[in-house]
Amino acid sequence: MAVLLETTVGDLVIDLYTEERPRACLNFLKLCKVKYYNYCLIYNVQRDFIIQTGDPMGTGRGGESIFCQLYGDQARFFEAEKVPRIKHKKKGTVSMVNNGSDQHGSQFLITTGENLDYLDGVHTVFGEVTEGMDVLKTINETFVDKDFIPYQDIRINHTVILDDPFDDPPGLCVPDRSPEPTKEQLDSGRIGADEEIDDMKGRTADEIEEVQAEKEAKTRAILLEMVGDLPDADIKPPENVLFVCKLNPVTTGEDLEIIFSRFGPIKSCEVIRDWKTGESLCYAFIEFEKEEDCEKAYFKMDNVLIDDRRIHVDFSQSVAKIKWKGKGGRYTKEDFKDYEKDRDKPSKFALKEKVKPKQDAKYDLVLDEDVEESHTSQSHLAKKQKKKKHHHSEDEDDDKRTKKSKDPERKHEERCRERTKGEKRDRHRSRSRSQDRDYSRQKDKYREDSRVRDWDKKTDRSRSPKKSKDKERSKYR
């Protein structure tokens, strides 16, 4: 009870559950016997899920059971067998595909994942792959498009029945040899199963290096797109911007603008500087209005001497000038800056718990459950307040006891302070008295001195100069 499927990538051996699924196994065996599956495409490959085939047209919409050949179009499909129930637990489980009305034709699938419970009860399990798991793995890892169709054809070339327990039904036509494939079967519009895929065939070493460099650049662009640094992997930098490097630190943007403006009008010329120190990083970007002017400057200004330095000129590979809205195209960097500013501001809204209730004259609808909850909450609050009061009273008693023990000490300290204050007062009074006495003595001395001075002045005034001169003259006479 086994069938050998010869595919373009290897052989698969399928063991059939003839006792559990006799009708599905009979259909599959007799279709293999009449070479119905020869040159059938594997047209649906979903990694770690399923591999689907069995349609001679390769579209997934055709196929018919063996009973159609025996009994006509009314027997194109047969009813699904649901008892006993067999689950899709392991890799390599083979099931007949449901056509949408719990009926099966010729299409079948092979699972490449484990515990696929959502397939149970829909597709009828009738066998499993026992040999060729490595071939199943290679089919599972093949490259497919968005519709899960492999880019290169994978076909069933031939089917061999290893053991058939069922007798051939009357009217079954078994061919003597495998039929030749038709052009419609072989023409899938994809890479042929026998074609060799070699992109580097007939190319020189330089061309191969260029192709590899392009692939590496493509992968890097895809990574940058995934990270969010690029809006699209296929985006191109602007063609009117020049990148100038190996500049002298003394060279400024005005100097470069004057030098490069002879090729055409310039939109912007910026020398990149360190954000902290402001020193030149020795490279700049020059944006022209026209692409033709940019090309002229590229050809003329490379390796030119500016401020004792040989500069290098190339087309810019930066996309910083392109305005885009980040990954997904929803927000810009400016939007995030505005968001950060708004986040620091105090919000107009507050939580319901923090808002003070307004005292209104309106009454709210209160349910019995709410009343019970309010009573319970009030009882809890009363208990907490009682506990707090009890703790507070205990604290007060402890404070009183400590105060009583500290009272005599405090009284003694107060007496000592009063004594020191009294002594200070007495000293101050004695000093003030002695100062008053000294001051009175000085006053008396000053009065006596002033009296003596006044007397001397009076005596001097009484003696006039004329009388003194007359006396002296009388002496000499």
Side-chain angles (χ1 to χ4, degrees):
M1 292 83 75
V3 175
L4 172 67
L5 299 181
E6 297 178 0
T7 68
T8 54
V9 294
D11 298 341
L12 297 172
V13 176
I14 300 174
D15 283 355
L16 303 177
Y17 304 150
T18 55
E19 295 180 0
E20 293 84 358
R21 300 285 188 265
R23 195 166 182 79
C25 291
L26 174 64
N27 176 63
F28 185 73
L29 283 169
K30 300 310 175 184
L31 286 174
C32 291
K33 198 168 188 177
V34 299
K35 308 303 179 185
Y36 185 82
Y37 291 123
N38 284 20
Y39 305 105
C40 278
L41 275 173
I42 295 175
Y43 50 83
N44 186 7
V45 178
Q46 301 183 37
R47 184 167 293 188
D48 299 330
F49 183 45
I50 61 166
I51 295 168
Q52 188 174 346
T53 184
D55 181 10
M57 301 306 296
T59 59
R61 300 183 186 88
E64 57 188 22
S65 68
I66 192 66
F67 306 107
C68 182
Q69 296 182 10
L70 298 174
Y71 308 115
D73 292 337
Q74 69 274 10
R76 182 181 177 186
F77 302 103
F78 64 95
E79 295 295 328
E81 298 169 292
K82 296 184 179 180
V83 180
R85 188 176 182 182
I86 304 173
K87 297 183 178 181
H88 300 78
K89 286 186 177 180
K90 56 184 179 179
K91 293 181 181 179
T93 303
V94 185
S95 302
M96 296 300 295
V97 177
N98 194 332
N99 68 345
S101 58
D102 290 336
Q103 293 180 337
H104 303 305
S106 63
Q107 297 183 36
F108 64 95
L109 61 88
I110 303 172
T111 62
T112 54
E114 296 178 349
N115 298 321
L116 304 177
D117 300 335
Y118 35 85
L119 298 179
D120 298 340
V122 181
H123 308 287
T124 303
V125 178
F126 68 95
E128 62 177 304
V129 176
T130 54
E131 296 180 17
M133 296 302 290
D134 55 342
V135 177
L136 196 67
K137 184 179 178 181
T138 55
I139 299 172
N140 181 44
E141 294 176 352
T142 190
F143 292 101
V144 297
D145 60 5
K146 61 181 181 179
D147 297 323
F148 306 107
I149 301 173
Y151 287 109
Q152 187 174 14
D153 291 342
I154 303 174
R155 297 179 179 273
I156 300 173
N157 289 332
H158 193 62
T159 56
V160 179
I161 298 173
L162 304 178
D163 188 7
D164 185 5
F166 301 105
D167 295 332
D168 294 339
L172 183 67
C173 298
V174 180
D176 297 334
R177 51 177 295 178
S178 297
E180 294 294 329
T182 61
K183 289 183 179 180
E184 294 178 355
Q185 285 180 325
L186 296 177
D187 188 13
S188 63
R190 303 266 167 166
I191 301 170
D194 300 330
E195 292 182 19
E196 293 183 1
I197 303 173
D198 188 6
D199 295 336
M200 307 302 173
K201 190 175 180 180
R203 296 191 179 186
T204 61
D206 295 336
E207 290 177 350
I208 292 170
E209 288 180 3
E210 187 177 354
V211 170
Q212 290 177 352
E214 288 179 358
K215 288 182 179 179
E216 289 177 0
K218 183 69 175 177
T219 54
R220 289 173 190 158
I222 291 169
L223 288 173
L224 291 173
E225 182 185 2
M226 293 169 66
V227 171
D229 290 343
L230 284 179
D232 187 8
D234 297 328
I235 193 170
K236 293 181 180 179
E239 296 182 357
N240 61 333
V241 180
L242 278 183
F243 171 73
V244 184
C245 61
K246 297 182 180 180
L247 292 171
N248 193 320
V250 181
T251 306
T252 61
E254 291 80 3
D255 300 336
L256 292 176
E257 187 173 0
I258 292 169
I259 294 168
F260 281 84
S261 60
R262 66 192 184 93
F263 298 102
I266 294 174
K267 283 186 177 180
S268 64
C269 181
E270 182 181 5
V271 176
I272 308 302
R273 299 183 179 276
D274 186 71
W275 67 274
K276 195 171 184 180
T277 61
E279 295 179 357
S280 174
L281 298 178
C282 301
Y283 68 92
F285 292 95
I286 303 171
E287 184 179 3
F288 289 87
E289 290 186 0
K290 297 180 180 179
E291 295 180 6
E292 299 173 356
D293 301 336
C294 186
E295 290 179 2
K296 291 178 184 178
Y298 168 73
F299 288 115
K300 294 286 186 180
M301 295 302 294
D302 191 21
N303 204 25
V304 171
L305 191 68
I306 297 177
D307 292 334
D308 297 332
R309 292 285 182 93
R310 293 284 179 182
I311 66 169
H312 176 66
V313 179
D314 199 354
F315 288 101
S316 174
Q317 300 299 315
S318 174
V319 293
K321 293 284 184 182
I322 298 174
K323 294 181 180 180
W324 59 287
K325 292 192 174 184
K327 190 174 182 181
R330 296 181 62 187
Y331 304 104
T332 61
K333 293 180 180 179
E334 295 178 356
D335 295 336
F336 285 109
K337 289 180 182 178
D338 296 337
Y339 168 73
E340 289 177 355
K341 290 180 182 177
D342 295 336
R343 185 182 61 182
D344 296 335
K345 293 180 182 178
S347 62
K348 297 180 181 178
F349 303 99
L351 294 173
K352 190 176 180 181
E353 297 175 357
K354 295 182 180 180
V355 177
K356 293 181 180 180
K358 295 181 180 179
Q359 295 180 355
D360 294 331
K362 295 181 181 180
Y363 292 91
D364 296 328
L365 180 64
V366 181
L367 300 175
D368 294 335
E369 296 178 355
D370 298 334
V371 173
E372 291 177 359
E373 290 179 358
S374 65
H375 284 305
T376 54
S377 63
Q378 289 176 1
S379 62
H380 285 302
L381 289 170
K383 289 180 181 179
K384 288 181 180 179
Q385 289 176 357
K386 285 181 181 179
K387 287 181 181 179
K388 287 182 180 178
K389 286 180 181 179
H390 181 65
H391 288 300
H392 186 63
S393 62
E394 288 180 355
D395 295 333
E396 288 180 352
D397 293 335
D398 293 334
D399 293 333
K400 287 179 181 179
R401 289 171 187 172
T402 53
K403 284 180 181 178
K404 286 180 181 179
S405 62
K406 292 180 179 178
D407 283 338
E409 295 178 358
R410 289 180 180 175
K411 288 179 180 179
H412 180 68
E413 290 177 358
E414 289 176 357
R415 288 173 185 174
C416 294
R417 288 175 183 173
E418 288 176 357
R419 286 177 186 175
T420 54
K421 286 181 180 179
E423 290 176 356
K424 287 180 179 179
R425 286 173 186 172
D426 294 335
R427 290 174 186 173
H428 183 67
R429 286 175 184 174
S430 62
R431 286 177 183 174
S432 63
R433 287 174 184 173
S434 61
Q435 288 176 358
D436 291 336
R437 288 174 186 173
D438 295 335
Y439 182 72
S440 62
R441 288 175 185 175
Q442 289 176 358
K443 271 187 175 182
D444 294 335
K445 285 181 180 180
Y446 180 77
R447 286 175 183 174
E448 290 176 357
D449 294 337
S450 62
R451 286 175 185 175
V452 172
R453 289 173 183 171
D454 293 333
W455 178 256
D456 292 335
K457 286 180 180 179
K458 287 179 181 180
T459 54
D460 292 336
R461 287 175 184 173
S462 62
R463 293 177 183 177
S464 63
K466 289 181 179 181
K467 288 182 179 180
S468 61
K469 285 180 180 181
D470 293 335
K471 286 181 179 181
E472 288 178 356
R473 286 176 184 176
S474 62
K475 284 181 182 179
Y476 290 107
R477 287 175 184 177

